[in-house]
Amino acid sequence: MGWVRDWLEATACPALEPDRDQRVQSLAQQMGRFMRQEGRFFSLTETSIVLGIPARDLPLVQDRLYELTLKFVMQDYAVTERDRAGLRWVAKTLKLSPEQARRIELRVGRHVFEQYLAFAIAGGYLDEEELGQLRSVADSLDVTTRQFLLGYLAESGESFLESILSGMAGDGTISDEVWNRLLASTKALGLEAEEFLRVLRPQARRLADRIRNRVKPNGQPDTDLWPAMQALMARLDPRHGIGAGTA
């Protein structure tokens, strides 16, 4: 799983203080307006001087503007050949290396993939249209859905499990039909059942601990999700489960 760490590094968003992040966002938007107005006559150096961009912030503004451009063209969950040509021009004009541009694309693409997956799979499975959208995101960035899914589960498996918990086990049980639909969906994204279960087991145990220790505002144990969590753990690890613990 060492490559997953490299993947997550490539897609980690830069962490900025709120004020600096807002300033970088504003400067990137202003630079984008200059780029649209001036076209092939656009000068990164001259525009940076006009906007008063500090040298230490310029790489962040370049990164952010390319990110904003990519998010705009991915509104339909895909990047067309025409879009790709435009992105190459933007990256070249911003003086981004192919490696820098690729890292930004992976970061944004992964975010789009994860946001759509979390929304679509809340009921416990994906339909053909939803699978098609996810494949489109991955294909347009020359990445497999398996890579995107593994990266997501490795970093955010607890959130993934909690998002599907109520939809799958609202009455505290998970039927064979519901479980098989989930496994069929993840298999369609490139992840076989055994690997899916292996990746999620440690994440599920951590989620179970959090749910077991939750309290309501009045200080009483919040056990609403506990039956569903027990049912999920029994499916993820039928040999051990989580123990018929105290909830």
Side-chain angles (χ1 to χ4, degrees):
M1 295 283 288
W3 70 269
V4 173
R5 287 192 295 272
D6 296 336
W7 178 265
L8 295 177
E9 267 187 19
T11 56
C13 297
L16 301 175
E17 305 87 352
D19 289 347
R20 191 179 185 195
D21 185 80
Q22 187 174 4
R23 184 170 68 252
V24 167
Q25 180 81 3
S26 176
L27 289 169
Q29 291 169 335
Q30 292 178 66
M31 181 175 282
R33 286 193 288 271
F34 273 82
M35 185 178 288
R36 288 193 298 272
Q37 292 167 3
E38 298 176 11
R40 64 189 181 90
F41 298 107
F42 173 85
S43 166
L44 178 64
T45 302
E46 292 178 8
T47 303
S48 301
I49 294 172
V50 170
L51 293 176
I53 301 176
R56 73 187 188 106
D57 282 347
L58 182 56
L60 298 173
V61 174
Q62 292 166 275
D63 181 297
R64 185 65 57 86
L65 179 51
Y66 192 70
E67 176 186 293
L68 291 172
T69 304
L70 187 63
K71 286 179 178 177
F72 177 78
V73 302
M74 288 191 72
Q75 290 182 91
D76 294 325
Y77 304 103
V79 178
T80 66
E81 283 304 312
R82 181 178 179 182
D83 292 333
R84 177 59 59 191
L87 287 168
R88 284 194 293 269
W89 179 85
V90 171
K92 182 179 179 181
T93 303
L94 288 174
K95 301 189 184 303
L96 295 172
S97 69
E99 294 75 20
Q100 289 173 311
R102 182 60 175 166
R103 286 174 70 87
I104 298 167
E105 289 173 12
L106 292 179
R107 186 179 73 222
V108 173
R110 180 174 176 232
H111 179 72
V112 171
F113 182 93
E114 292 178 1
Q115 292 291 104
Y116 188 82
L117 175 62
F119 167 77
I121 206 168
Y125 74 101
L126 301 166
D127 63 27
E128 282 304 314
E129 181 180 357
E130 290 162 344
L131 286 167
Q133 295 282 23
L134 291 167
R135 291 181 184 123
S136 180
V137 172
D139 291 346
S140 65
L141 295 172
D142 196 25
V143 176
T144 66
T145 54
R146 169 185 162 79
Q147 286 174 303
F148 269 144
L149 181 57
L150 269 176
Y152 176 44
L153 295 180
E155 185 178 67
S156 306
E158 289 181 55
S159 298
F160 169 81
L161 289 171
E162 190 158 14
S163 72
I164 65 175
L165 203 55
S166 296
M168 290 186 62
D171 60 354
T173 63
I174 299 176
S175 69
D176 289 343
E177 178 185 3
V178 168
W179 185 244
N180 290 335
R181 287 168 77 183
L182 173 65
L183 295 182
S185 293
T186 54
K187 183 177 181 179
L189 293 176
L191 207 57
E192 294 290 340
E194 278 306 311
E195 188 170 20
F196 175 71
L197 300 180
R198 177 172 55 80
V199 170
L200 282 180
R201 279 174 191 140
Q203 312 255 20
R205 293 189 187 102
R206 289 194 291 272
L207 176 60
D209 288 340
R210 286 201 293 113
I211 290 176
R212 187 165 17 207
N213 294 324
R214 282 179 183 170
V215 295
K216 296 182 178 180
N218 62 8
Q220 295 299 310
D222 185 354
T223 59
D224 293 348
L225 281 179
W226 188 245
M229 188 70 237
Q230 288 181 305
L232 180 59
M233 281 302 298
R235 288 288 183 176
L236 287 169
D237 197 353
R239 295 168 302 171
H240 305 294
I242 50 179
T246 57

